[in-house]
Amino acid sequence: MDIVYSDKFIEALKAAKSVVVSTGAGVSAESGVPTFRGEEGLWKKFRAEELATFEAFNANPELVWEWYQFRRDIIGKIKPNPGHYAIAEMPGLFDEFHLITQNIDNLHRIAGLEDFVELHGNINRNKCVDCGEMNYEKEFADFPPKCKCGGRLRPDVVWFGEMLPPGAIEKAFTVSRACDLLFTVGTSGIVQPAASLPPAAKQHGAFVVEVNIEATELTFICDEHIRAKSGEAFPVIVKKIKELKGI
Ligand code: BJW
Ligand code: ZN
């Protein structure tokens, strides 16, 4: 695919010392992970907002576990796409690089990134509602599963109304405020506080680029819009950065 770059975007790519990429479900869509919103994001006619809460888990743990086991099955079978791999090359292209993801699917890690911020947890971990102990089992003899202490196990992900891991959200805001260039990729920009990272970067003077197949809640604050699939756009963007830097 071809990307038409504005002069300002080229300047930002050349001059950027500190770069942040902030990803959402759309970055994994081409790997076969369903996104959350829109018609295709519905699972058995439930919206994410109806399943991703502690209240839903309390009211119907079987249903919420069924949703996570369904997604674990999908995530266990799929692979990173060219977008994940291109993003994984970016730490080598800038003095400072940070990836922040809302995704729980591990695909950035499998693509080769080791150090990044997971804002909404990780689907490979469970934790006990009572004693807080972590557990990494994927198949369970009894359903809904229980901890050794007898407490209920839940996926170690962040549901609506819950605090994000304090270290993760602090680091995400610190690096977003300090960067020169931020890419917001494959997120609808609806869910807070993740949706406040691109505006925070913008307020502190960063050039903000949106990579998404459609307009989002964040479109209006972005300086550049790439209306394309991230798996198609990022290999081209990374190639361009290498060209500009003579790498
Ligand atoms: C492509 C593509 C391709 C497709 N290429 N693009 C301030 C104002 C208003 C509300 C709040 C606020 N502060 C807090 C709230 C409440 C709430 C919230 O934001 N609600 C909104 C619905 C309004 N936030 C919270 O409760 C958060 N906690 C919190 O703030 O704690 C403090 C607090 C506590 C108590 C009271 C008050 C404050 C926690 C949010 C947790 C979200 N959890 C989930 C589930 C995680 C686990 C799991 O995965 O199951 O996180 S919900 C779900 O949404 C998941 C995602 O990470 C998150 C974001 O979704 P995302 O990634 O944007 O996906 P989509 O589907 O929405 O968009 C996909 C995009 O990709 C689209 O734009 C497509 O076009 C695009 N696309 N293919 C590029 N190939
Ligand atoms: Zn326990």
Side-chain angles (χ1 to χ4, degrees), residues 127-133 146-153:
K127 75 177 171 200
C128 174
V129 169
D130 288 350
C131 74
E133 194 167 304
K146 290 245 164 71
C147 171
K148 302 195 282 292
C149 80
R152 289 170 301 158
L153 281 180

